[in-house]
Amino acid sequence: MADKFIEDKVTRVAVKKDGQEVKMDFNDLKSGGFIKQRQKDQFTVRLRCPGGRIDTKKLMEISKIADKYSKKSVVHLSFRQSLEILYVDYKDFDNMVRDLEKIGQKVASCGPRVRVPTACGGCEYNPNGLTDTQAMAKMVDEKYFGTPCYHKFKISFSGCPIDCARTKEMDLGFQGVVEPVWDEDTCTGCTICSKACKEDAIKSHPETGKPIYDPLKCIWCGDCIRACPTESWQAKRYGHFVRIGGKHGRHPREANEAAVFIPDGKVPEVIEKTLEWYKMNGKRGERIGATIDRVGIDSYMKFMEPVFKSGEPITTGKAHKWQI
Amino acid sequence: MADIKADASLDLRGVLCPINFVKTKLKLETMDVGQVLEIVLDDGEPIQNVPKSIKEEGHKIVEVKKEGEYFRLKIQKR
């Protein structure tokens, strides 16, 4: 028995490649960014590109490495925005990882852990963007990437209710929202806001043209604020709509709506507490959505209350329109 | 309120997004700062989108009038 344990401690082995001896480090494989292909000895190497953003200089270096190691000279854009180098011989892992390290490029992951976060363009350059999704994705990648879980754990950031980053299908999703507030004195009753609103949440008064706002129909996209010529619609507060327990795959599950208007600064706490709840209540091989189905959303909401109080908790856990 | 005098005008009825915005932008580029461009936009998508884009370009919408199925906007170049 003792021998077996000693053997398990070996992390580096020598293998033969083209008659030459090369080293292989099993630690490289631990994170799981090396995915076996259908072809013998061939693997896909998934790079870590949080938010799908890559510096152009680094991209040029990556392309050189891809060209050097991909037996078919191809890359693939993964569904979670990362570059994957295809057809890599497993005996090349050690050299390839070292080449990637030289340019500061890390390998991503698969398996039961916090994955590389995905994100849309966000408020940095997208006109619809309400939150800095790219900055958030970078932060989450630095702080939480690779955290072991019972199953995969996917986090994404959408900058607005169009939700290109599909927060409804994530284990934990953050979608940008803005609460509009109207100033009667500066409003000229031009009716543009009622036209700009795609949710029928703003109607124009038949005589004055001034807006009649229905907060229960509003999905906090900010179109009224962007369209108003006189700045009479203003942002009262920005934040994140937090969704929990979504997934796609064989058996999709739409996320529960957990809270709205969670400020940027509280996002790390939401992630930490969520992972803590998952750790306490989940079990091996179970996505957090399944844990919620088994244990109940109330347990999660109660646990999250201290941090969700920084915005508005959605106490029913499933309501498009929560009661204020 | 007295009508603001326009220095130029564009009839964008029947012109689709984003061509209507691009035409507005190109026209504004030929004008001087402070001058006013009048545009006529269809109801629906054009009135939903064009005012937002004009604002994002830094110009000021100084007058909006609904005339039947279309809108008459006056934009001051900034």
Side-chain angles (χ1 to χ4, degrees):
Chain A
M1 279 305 280
D3 287 350
K4 186 174 176 286
F5 286 111
I6 290 162
E7 197 178 43
D8 279 352
K9 279 181 185 163
V10 175
T11 60
R12 281 179 78 84
V13 292
V15 287
K16 288 260 191 224
K17 191 198 171 224
D18 307 328
Q20 293 211 315
E21 194 172 271
V22 290
K23 293 265 185 289
M24 268 211 60
D25 195 335
F26 292 137
N27 283 327
D28 289 345
L29 298 171
K30 258 192 183 166
S31 74
F34 301 84
I35 305 145
K36 202 191 140 353
Q37 288 190 190
R38 182 181 275 253
Q39 292 82 5
K40 183 176 180 288
D41 295 349
Q42 309 284 289
F43 282 70
T44 292
V45 179
R46 182 181 288 164
L47 304 183
R48 192 168 148 193
C49 312
R53 182 165 170 137
I54 311 171
D55 176 278
T56 51
K57 293 272 187 298
K58 193 184 264 186
L59 182 61
M60 286 194 276
E61 296 304 321
I62 292 170
S63 72
K64 284 182 204 160
I65 294 169
D67 190 53
K68 183 174 168 187
Y69 293 103
S70 169
K71 295 279 181 269
K72 288 210 175 184
S73 307
V74 279
V75 296
H76 175 248
L77 301 173
S78 84
F79 272 92
R80 284 185 63 80
Q81 302 183 305
S82 286
L83 263 178
E84 295 173 336
I85 302 172
L86 308 183
Y87 296 95
V88 178
D89 190 308
Y90 77 98
K91 288 168 187 165
D92 284 333
F93 285 170
D94 211 43
N95 287 332
M96 186 182 184
V97 166
R98 250 180 287 159
D99 282 357
L100 287 167
E101 266 170 13
K102 273 182 217 155
I103 61 160
Q105 179 59 52
K106 295 188 175 82
V107 174
S109 70
C110 55
R113 48 183 68 83
V114 175
R115 303 295 185 83
V116 183
T118 51
C120 68
C123 69
E124 182 193 330
Y125 55 93
N126 187 308
N128 291 314
L130 302 168
T131 46
D132 194 349
T133 56
Q134 287 290 321
M136 299 310 283
K138 189 166 178 278
M139 179 276 291
V140 170
D141 182 65
E142 281 162 8
K143 276 184 122 155
Y144 306 107
F145 169 80
T147 307
C149 297
Y150 293 117
H151 205 306
K152 61 178 79 167
F153 196 86
K154 295 177 178 176
I155 299 175
S156 86
F157 291 89
S158 282
C160 78
I162 299 170
D163 197 22
C164 294
R166 288 154 171 73
T167 60
K168 296 173 184 77
E169 301 171 12
M170 295 297 140
D171 294 283
L172 183 55
F174 296 89
Q175 175 226 292
V177 280
V178 60
E179 186 175 8
V181 59
W182 176 64
D183 173 43
E184 185 165 8
D185 292 345
T186 52
C187 176
T188 58
C190 78
T191 76
I192 280 187
C193 57
S194 71
K195 294 291 170 185
C197 178
K198 297 181 177 86
E199 304 301 323
D200 208 20
I202 301 176
K203 286 193 168 59
S204 294
H205 189 278
E207 275 131 48
T208 63
K210 299 209 170 186
I212 302 160
Y213 174 62
D214 182 352
L216 294 178
K217 282 186 177 167
C218 181
I219 62 165
W220 314 292
C221 68
D223 276 351
C224 50
I225 300 169
R226 286 171 58 207
C228 178
T230 56
E231 316 290 341
S232 302
W233 282 105
Q234 293 273 343
K236 188 177 166 194
R237 55 177 168 169
Y238 290 93
H240 300 266
F241 194 144
V242 180
R243 296 190 170 93
I244 183 74
K247 72 185 280 290
H248 35 251
R250 291 181 189 221
H251 304 284
R253 181 187 190 279
E254 194 176 328
N256 292 79
E257 300 181 332
V260 278
F261 299 112
I262 300 299
D264 280 355
K266 290 286 176 182
V267 169
E269 206 179 319
V270 170
I271 296 171
E272 281 158 29
K273 280 197 83 74
T274 297
L275 290 174
E276 201 184 324
W277 182 85
Y278 186 25
K279 198 174 179 183
M280 289 188 313
N281 295 280
K283 55 186 185 186
R284 217 174 137 210
E286 184 179 72
R287 293 286 283 270
I288 195 167
T291 310
I292 288 168
D293 285 340
R294 186 169 52 78
V295 179
I297 186 71
D298 292 349
S299 159
Y300 176 74
M301 289 304 292
K302 194 161 185 283
F303 188 78
M304 298 299 289
E305 200 190 351
V307 58
F308 282 168
K309 274 199 303 202
S310 63
E312 312 270 353
I314 301 172
T315 45
T316 56
K318 184 72 216 172
H320 177 61
K321 299 302 158 207
W322 90 109
Q323 298 300 308
I324 300 169
Chain B
M1 193 171 72
D3 279 4
I4 295 160
K5 195 184 149 294
D7 299 288
S9 69
L10 273 181
D11 187 348
L12 296 169
R13 281 176 286 184
V15 183
L16 299 179
C17 299
I19 311 292
N20 42 20
F21 167 66
V22 175
K23 286 194 170 184
T24 305
K25 181 179 156 57
L26 290 174
K27 188 73 191 170
L28 283 164
E29 275 171 19
T30 68
M31 298 169 69
D32 296 329
V33 172
Q35 283 193 309
V36 173
L37 172 68
E38 178 188 65
I39 61 169
V40 186
L41 285 175
D42 285 320
D43 201 348
E45 232 181 276
I47 194 66
Q48 271 185 355
N49 296 326
V50 176
K52 283 190 283 195
S53 305
I54 291 167
K55 260 183 84 179
E56 273 150 18
E57 291 277 313
H59 304 298
K60 172 102 181 140
I61 297 166
V62 288
E63 195 183 286
V64 182
K65 274 188 178 164
K66 191 173 192 309
E67 298 178 356
E69 289 303 296
Y70 54 87
F71 286 80
R72 194 174 293 274
L73 267 65
K74 284 180 183 154
I75 307 153
Q76 188 171 47
K77 180 171 173 166
R78 288 286 169 96

